[in-house]
Amino acid sequence: MFLLNLPINIKEQAAIERRRSEEKKRLSRIFNVKYRTIGIDKASLDEQVKERQYMKNLEKQRNDAFDREMINNDFKKILLEQEELFQKRQYAQELNNYRQLYQKPEHAKEWDLNDPNRLKQLTPIRINDNDSRLGPSSGQIFVGEDLQASRRKKLQQEQLKNDFNLQIINKTKKNREEYLANLLYDYKQMELYERSNKFEQIENECHRAIELATRNYNEILAHEARIRAHEQKTRQTEEQLAEIANTAFSDMLTENSKNLLDARSHIIVDRWKGMSQDQLDDIRHQQLIQISECQKIKNNEKCFDETWKQYLNAIAKQGIIIEQQIEEDKRQYNHYLANENKNLAKIQREREDYLNTILYRSAPTAAFYQQFNSTSR
């Protein structure tokens, strides 16, 4: 008994068809003599070589752009650092100049109290031995008296000035040497960058030359391999044609009746099949019988296919009829369900009207609720 309502699994059928298609493609690749003999796809390999070379060129351009950007950033950094150092020095110089001009210690209000030379600036008790302020009993020589204070102070100021000028010269020289060292370092860095770029360019040219030589060598090897394969194929073809010709015109296939017997009057089996006309007729008769049987089997298979096709059509028609019947039952059920919902909605509305207009006509007030829990009972 056949099952009539089995659904067709579309996904499973598609997967089976896909596997069959892949199997056919695989067989076509395996039994393709040309593809199997060559073994490689040179066009794809050339395309891969071009893509690899293109990617190398892109990578080189990217690295060169990064190098140029790094050099520019280094120059900018050096210029910014020099400018910042110059601004700091200028600010410090202006601050010192301002302090020397407008913030001197002697300009302070309490300078007269904090002046270290306040006592030195006072008039000494005794100027010299001929001071008119000295009386008859005044002493002439005292411990700690310094009559050469002004001259010594002048000499100390000159020495301090010379030391200060010497410090300025040394500091200027040191700054000059530091600036020249930084400049020399910058020039040296630029020279190193140029040399590194030159070495990288030479290395890239060497790589390109090696790749070109390798590609030429591979092309020569591929050309030689093609020539050898062509020669081998030609030789095999000639040998196969010669073998076919020798086999076609040999005594075994032509059954030459002149050389059937050997020296002992025996039939040479490799030159003549040794079959009579009756045997050949019997073989032909058996072949005709087999042909007729094969034709009967084909006719039976064709009849079975026609019957099966009619059976499938009948199943499909029956399925359509059943589906239409299910759709009709579904529509009737939906119609019944809609009517039932309408009746229930009508009953619900009537009940709500009854509750709102008749049963709950009077709404309870606060006095109604206050009458509860008013006593202990």
Side-chain angles (χ1 to χ4, degrees):
M1 184 175 181
F2 296 100
L3 296 175
L4 302 180
N5 296 326
L6 289 177
I8 299 175
N9 194 340
I10 300 175
K11 292 184 179 179
E12 184 178 358
Q13 188 69 21
I16 294 171
E17 292 296 332
R18 185 176 64 255
R19 287 197 294 271
R20 287 178 181 175
S21 176
E22 291 177 355
E23 183 65 22
K24 289 181 181 179
K25 292 179 181 178
R26 179 174 175 274
L27 292 176
S28 65
R29 289 196 301 269
I30 292 174
F31 292 105
N32 190 351
V33 179
K34 182 178 180 182
Y35 182 81
R36 191 174 63 250
T37 303
I38 294 175
I40 60 174
D41 189 359
K42 189 175 182 301
S44 299
L45 294 178
D46 295 337
E47 188 67 23
Q48 291 177 4
V49 171
K50 291 180 181 179
E51 291 179 359
R52 192 178 296 110
Q53 186 64 31
Y54 178 71
M55 293 302 294
K56 287 183 179 179
N57 293 332
L58 287 180
E59 186 67 21
K60 183 179 180 300
Q61 293 176 3
R62 179 173 173 271
N63 293 332
D64 293 340
F66 281 146
D67 293 339
R68 290 192 297 271
E69 185 67 20
M70 184 170 60
I71 293 172
N72 294 329
N73 292 333
D74 290 339
F75 280 125
K76 291 179 181 179
K77 181 181 177 182
I78 292 170
L79 293 176
L80 290 175
E81 288 178 354
Q82 292 179 355
E83 184 178 359
E84 184 180 2
L85 182 61
F86 176 76
Q87 290 179 357
K88 286 182 178 179
R89 290 176 179 175
Q90 187 176 5
Y91 175 75
Q93 184 66 31
E94 292 177 356
L95 183 61
N96 291 330
N97 293 333
Y98 180 81
R99 287 175 178 175
Q100 291 177 2
L101 292 176
Y102 303 105
Q103 293 183 353
K104 292 181 179 181
E106 55 269 20
H107 293 168
K109 294 180 179 180
E110 63 276 8
W111 173 250
D112 55 345
L113 300 177
N114 298 325
D115 188 3
N117 298 321
R118 181 171 58 85
L119 298 176
K120 294 179 181 180
Q121 293 175 359
L122 296 176
T123 303
I125 299 173
R126 177 175 175 275
I127 299 174
N128 50 29
D129 294 339
N130 298 321
D131 192 356
S132 60
R133 294 176 300 170
L134 298 176
S137 61
S138 299
Q140 300 295 316
I141 298 173
F142 296 95
V143 178
E145 186 178 12
D146 190 6
L147 300 178
Q148 304 294 329
S150 59
R151 185 170 177 273
R152 186 183 69 255
K153 185 177 181 181
K154 185 177 181 181
L155 292 174
Q156 289 177 353
Q157 289 177 353
E158 290 179 356
Q159 186 178 0
L160 182 63
K161 183 178 179 181
N162 293 330
D163 293 339
F164 184 70
N165 293 330
L166 183 61
Q167 289 178 2
I168 291 174
I169 293 171
N170 292 332
K171 187 174 182 181
T172 305
K173 185 178 179 181
K174 184 178 178 181
N175 292 334
R176 178 71 177 176
E177 291 178 354
E178 184 178 356
Y179 173 74
L180 293 175
N182 292 331
L183 187 62
L184 181 62
Y185 176 77
D186 295 337
Y187 287 153
K188 190 65 176 177
Q189 290 294 324
M190 292 173 61
E191 183 180 359
L192 291 175
Y193 281 132
E194 292 178 357
R195 291 181 64 184
S196 64
N197 292 330
K198 186 176 180 181
F199 287 154
E200 184 177 0
Q201 185 178 3
I202 294 171
E203 185 178 359
N204 292 331
E205 290 177 357
C206 292
H207 284 307
R208 285 196 295 270
I210 292 171
E211 291 178 357
L212 182 61
T214 304
R215 184 175 62 187
N216 294 332
Y217 179 70
N218 292 332
E219 290 178 355
I220 292 170
L221 291 178
H223 182 66
E224 292 178 356
R226 288 195 297 271
I227 293 173
R228 287 196 300 269
H230 181 69
E231 292 177 353
Q232 184 179 2
K233 184 177 180 181
T234 304
R235 185 170 60 254
Q236 290 178 357
T237 304
E238 292 176 354
E239 291 176 357
Q240 292 174 359
L241 291 175
E243 184 179 358
I244 291 171
N246 294 330
T247 304
F249 296 103
S250 63
D251 294 336
M252 180 181 68
L253 295 180
T254 57
E255 295 185 359
N256 190 1
S257 60
K258 295 180 180 180
N259 297 321
L260 297 177
L261 302 177
D262 56 4
R264 295 178 296 177
S265 299
H266 292 168
I267 297 174
I268 302 173
V269 295
D270 60 349
R271 296 183 182 178
W272 185 58
K273 295 183 177 65
M275 298 177 69
S276 62
Q277 187 64 33
D278 295 336
Q279 292 175 341
L280 295 174
D281 293 339
D282 185 44
I283 291 172
R284 181 61 181 167
H285 180 67
Q286 293 294 331
Q287 289 177 350
L288 293 174
I289 292 172
Q290 291 177 1
I291 290 170
S292 63
E293 290 178 355
C294 289
Q295 188 64 32
K296 289 180 181 179
I297 292 172
K298 289 182 180 179
N299 293 331
N300 292 331
E301 289 179 354
K302 186 175 181 181
C303 292
F304 179 77
D305 291 338
E306 292 292 335
T307 305
W308 182 254
K309 187 176 180 180
Q310 293 176 1
Y311 174 71
L312 291 178
N313 291 332
I315 290 175
K317 290 180 181 179
Q318 187 175 1
I320 292 170
I321 293 171
I322 293 172
E323 187 177 358
Q324 291 177 354
Q325 183 65 32
I326 291 171
E327 291 292 334
E328 183 64 26
D329 294 341
K330 188 176 180 180
R331 283 195 297 271
Q332 292 179 1
Y333 176 74
N334 291 332
H335 182 69
Y336 170 75
L337 186 62
N339 293 329
E340 188 67 22
N341 290 331
K342 288 180 181 179
N343 294 330
L344 291 175
K346 184 178 179 182
I347 294 171
Q348 183 67 22
R349 285 195 301 271
E350 291 177 355
R351 178 174 175 78
E352 289 180 355
D353 293 339
Y354 170 75
L355 293 175
N356 294 328
T357 58
I358 298 175
L359 185 61
Y360 300 126
R361 213 169 23 177
S362 300
T365 60
F368 174 78
Y369 294 105
Q370 290 176 358
Q371 66 182 345
F372 300 104
N373 295 329
S374 58
T375 62
S376 61
R377 297 290 181 181

